[in-house]
């Protein structure tokens, strides 16, 4: 079924449900670091080392704000700066093992939170979610491509 064949308003209703779920999930995350810091670490985990200017654009902050954020995360041992082998003038921000571990732990906590909620659904509701998995994964890929742009 194409998007045009879907019931009128289906895209808006699905979008509202997904947005509501995402915002409620974000509110339940631990408050041990800012959402921008956590998002930056997750971006580095997904895309690999990036320039500060790229990170600022992806996360929607100014370059000076990202520079300050990277400095704090560097002091915390979550990221490090390295030279770019292909361009000696460029410095890349990279996850450290501690940063990668933080991302894995935070992601796993989110997965467990959703597992608990899914455990409260009926069998039919779980089956509907299983059937929707390919579309949900594709939505995540599209959002990532749109938000993060091409890899360096």
């Amino acid at each position: 079924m194409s998007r045009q064949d879907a019931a009128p308003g289906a895209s808006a209703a699905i979008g509202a449900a997904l947005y509501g779920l995402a915002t409620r999930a974000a509110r339940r995350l631990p408050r041990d670091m800012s959402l921008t810091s956590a998002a930056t670490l997750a971006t580095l985990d997904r895309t690999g080392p990036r320039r500060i200017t790229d990170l600022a654009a992806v996360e929607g902050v100014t370059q000076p704000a990202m520079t300050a954020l990277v400095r704090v995360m560097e002091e915390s041992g979550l990221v490090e700066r390295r030279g770019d082998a292909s361009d000696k003038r460029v410095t890349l921000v990279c996850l450290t093992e501690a940063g990668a571990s933080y991302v894995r732990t935070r992601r796993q906590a989110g997965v467990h939170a959703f597992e608990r909620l899914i455990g409260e659904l009926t069998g039919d509701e779980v089956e509907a979610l299983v059937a929707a998995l390919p579309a949900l994964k594709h939505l995540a890929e599209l959002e990532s491509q749109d938000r993060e742009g091409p890899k360096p």
Side-chain angles (χ1 to χ4, degrees):
M1 169 173 36
S2 73
R3 190 165 53 92
Q4 292 81 15
D5 296 334
S11 291
I14 294 166
L18 290 173
Y19 181 78
L21 187 60
T23 56
R24 284 189 292 280
R27 283 190 205 117
R28 290 176 177 250
L29 291 172
R31 299 282 188 226
D32 56 343
M33 97 173 25
S34 73
L35 288 176
T36 304
S37 296
T40 300
L41 292 174
T43 295
L44 290 169
D45 185 58
R46 277 190 311 276
T47 66
R50 302 285 291 251
R51 295 176 180 206
I52 286 181
T53 53
D54 293 340
L55 287 171
V58 167
E59 303 306 335
V61 299
T62 64
Q63 185 174 343
M66 182 55 69
T67 300
L69 186 142
V70 166
R71 185 173 34 257
V72 168
M73 291 192 301
E74 191 173 25
E75 290 168 359
S76 298
L78 299 171
V79 300
E80 63 186 9
R81 298 177 205 224
R82 292 188 193 152
D84 185 346
S86 65
D87 186 344
K88 300 295 182 196
R89 300 167 296 172
V90 173
T91 299
L92 298 174
V93 179
C94 311
L95 272 184
T96 62
E97 182 50 45
S101 176
Y102 178 85
V103 171
R104 283 191 304 271
T105 300
R106 191 172 175 113
R107 188 173 291 136
Q108 195 58 45
V111 168
H112 287 314
F114 277 109
E115 283 177 332
R116 285 191 301 276
L117 290 173
I118 292 166
E120 308 256 338
L121 298 176
T122 67
D124 287 345
E125 290 169 326
V126 172
E127 286 180 26
L129 287 176
V130 169
L133 276 174
L136 292 171
K137 288 178 180 178
H138 189 210
L139 272 175
E141 290 168 6
L142 292 171
E143 192 281 332
S144 234
Q145 291 168 5
D146 185 51
R147 184 171 178 266
E148 294 168 3
K151 290 184 183 179

